Structures are given as structure tokens and as C-alpha cells.
Amino acid sequence: MLRVKVEPSGEDFWKLDPVVDLINSGAVGVIPTDTVYSIVCDLSNNDSIERLRRIKGIVDSKPLSILCRSLRDIDTYTTGFPLGTNQGQANIFRAVKRILPGPYTFILPAAKELPKQCIKHGSSTRYAKRRQVGVRMPDDPICQAILQSLEEPLICTSVKYLSEDEWILDPVYIADIYEPLGLDFIVDGGARIDDPSTVVDMTGSYPTIIRQGKGPKLDWMVTGTDQEA
């Protein structure tokens, strides 16, 4: 397994070149984001996506997210953010542009360009007729340097302990646990803090926070309790 330690300042990002080459060749590895570490692979490589699921130990029915290079990527792989209407509906796209890159995951309807392996297929009412995906644009120099060197986004899932619903924040522990499972590389950008992204569901009538994390609640977002009030 390739281990690459880089400075958050960006002064040695040339060390990431072998990582980019590995991703392009189908590798599965770990990179830092602006929240916790993520296991990633090439979005268009079906074999890599299946191997990512095996390494993480997640079933086919669990949805995966995508790390995007730009708002254009989000428009390509989802139906995009609401632009607002003359009837007074808020222009959410304009609001989102002010906070991305940032520590948010937005759940959006998936476009046909998104590989089927990324989308949850469930029998529940919520998922039976809808294809949804979480999109992220992390505000992290290491993550951005990797993304900007690729021709398309990355599939991602956060790194957790295998038997516990808890994030692994130290890249040394991540390597110890996941290297025996077949991980190809890890980019060490230092320890993270236990503060995941804020998840906002954009598929309903209002942008609804379904997990409060590092990203603050903004005035155009609601919570489940807001809607019940």
C-alpha cells in the first residue's frame, strides 16, 4: 500500500502525482476532506466501486456519495439545485454557491449520467421511485488538489471502524485497519476532528438538515423539528 504524507499548506502537493495515477488505474484509497477521511475511487470504474464496498463492508443497497470538483460536476451528475421562481421560491443555487466548497453534503436527485452502483435501490417508499445521491465539494487543499488533477469526480464513503459507527480520525489507525483489507493507498494529511459534514436533503419542499455537522445551519435550511412546529 502506498502511503503519502503531505503538508496541508500545499507546498509538497507534487507528492500526490502517484495517487492520481493509482486512482486513474482503478485503485481504492483514502484521502482527507474538510471533515473526516474518505475512502474513494474513480466514479466510472464499476470494479473499483464494488471493491470499495467490499473494503468498507457495506452492502449494495447503501448509497455512496460523490466528491465534486466544481458546481458543474454537480449539474452533470444530479438535476441540480433549485434556481427559484417568479412566485417567490428562493434561489437555492445562489445561496449554495456562497458556501461551497464547504463542509456540507447535499442530497439531490441523480441524473442519468451517475453510475447505478452509486445509487441506493430500496423497497421503502422513500427510495422506491427516486434516485438520489449525496454530493460534496470539500474545502480542503489536499482533497481539492487531487480532484483538480482528475477528469471526473470521485466516489466516496467516510472511514469508520469496522464494528462501530464511529469515524477513524488518525490516518495511522486507518492504514493499520484497512491495509489488510486491500486498500491501495492512503494520503496522510494529519489527524481530523470528530465533526462530519452537515447533510442537507434537497429533494423535498425545503432544504432539510438530516444530520447536523460541521457546516452551520443557515436561514434557508430547516430541520425536522422546524417542519413539525
Side-chain angles (χ1 to χ4, degrees):
M1 184 183 74
L2 175 68
R3 302 189 192 198
V4 178
K5 185 174 179 62
V6 294
E7 296 295 331
S9 64
E11 61 192 52
D12 56 354
F13 280 179
W14 54 269
K15 293 180 181 177
L16 296 172
D17 290 346
V19 170
V20 173
D21 291 339
L22 281 172
I23 293 172
N24 287 330
S25 66
V28 177
V30 168
I31 66 173
T33 71
D34 55 353
T35 54
V36 296
Y37 276 87
S38 285
I39 305 177
V40 301
C41 71
D42 181 1
L43 176 141
S44 63
N45 191 314
N46 294 340
D47 291 339
S48 297
I49 295 173
E50 292 308 310
R51 199 154 65 85
L52 179 149
R53 287 187 180 276
R54 287 199 303 272
I55 290 172
K56 176 74 180 288
I58 52 180
V59 296
D60 290 345
S61 62
K62 183 175 176 60
L64 298 169
S65 297
I66 54 176
L67 295 178
C68 296
R69 301 165 299 172
S70 65
L71 290 167
R72 180 175 295 180
D73 281 342
I74 296 177
D75 284 340
T76 297
Y77 295 100
T78 75
T79 59
F81 295 100
L83 295 176
T85 67
N86 294 331
Q87 286 73 38
Q89 183 180 355
N91 189 323
I92 300 300
F93 176 72
R94 186 177 300 165
V96 166
K97 283 205 304 184
R98 291 197 285 265
I99 60 171
L100 291 182
Y104 294 90
T105 299
F106 290 103
I107 308 299
L108 289 164
K112 64 180 184 300
E113 285 78 9
L114 187 73
K116 292 180 180 179
Q117 284 85 348
C118 312
I119 302 167
K120 180 169 185 174
H121 298 279
S123 57
S124 67
T125 301
R126 181 177 181 187
Y127 287 103
K129 296 182 179 179
R130 290 193 286 178
R131 294 154 41 93
Q132 303 168 354
V133 66
V135 295
R136 289 216 60 206
M137 278 181 58
D139 186 19
D140 178 85
I142 300 172
C143 184
Q144 282 291 332
I146 293 170
L147 288 171
Q148 297 305 325
S149 299
L150 299 168
E151 295 184 359
E152 56 189 357
L154 290 170
I155 295 296
C156 73
T157 180
S158 57
V159 182
K160 293 185 175 183
Y161 289 98
L162 299 177
S163 59
E164 303 173 37
D165 189 23
E166 183 179 344
W167 290 276
I168 311 178
L169 308 173
D170 189 325
V172 175
Y173 291 145
I174 294 172
D176 289 346
I177 293 171
Y178 280 93
E179 181 176 8
L181 300 177
L183 199 71
D184 298 311
F185 68 86
I186 183 168
V187 177
D188 181 347
R192 306 281 115 167
I193 59 172
D194 188 3
D195 205 1
S197 65
T198 294
V199 181
V200 185
D201 187 347
M202 306 293 290
T203 62
S205 301
Y206 302 97
T208 303
I209 294 176
I210 57 177
R211 182 183 72 194
Q212 181 64 60
K214 185 177 180 179
K217 178 182 180 294
L218 302 176
D219 56 8
W220 49 271
M221 301 174 183
V222 301
T223 63
T225 53
D226 292 335
Q227 297 187 78
E228 294 168 3

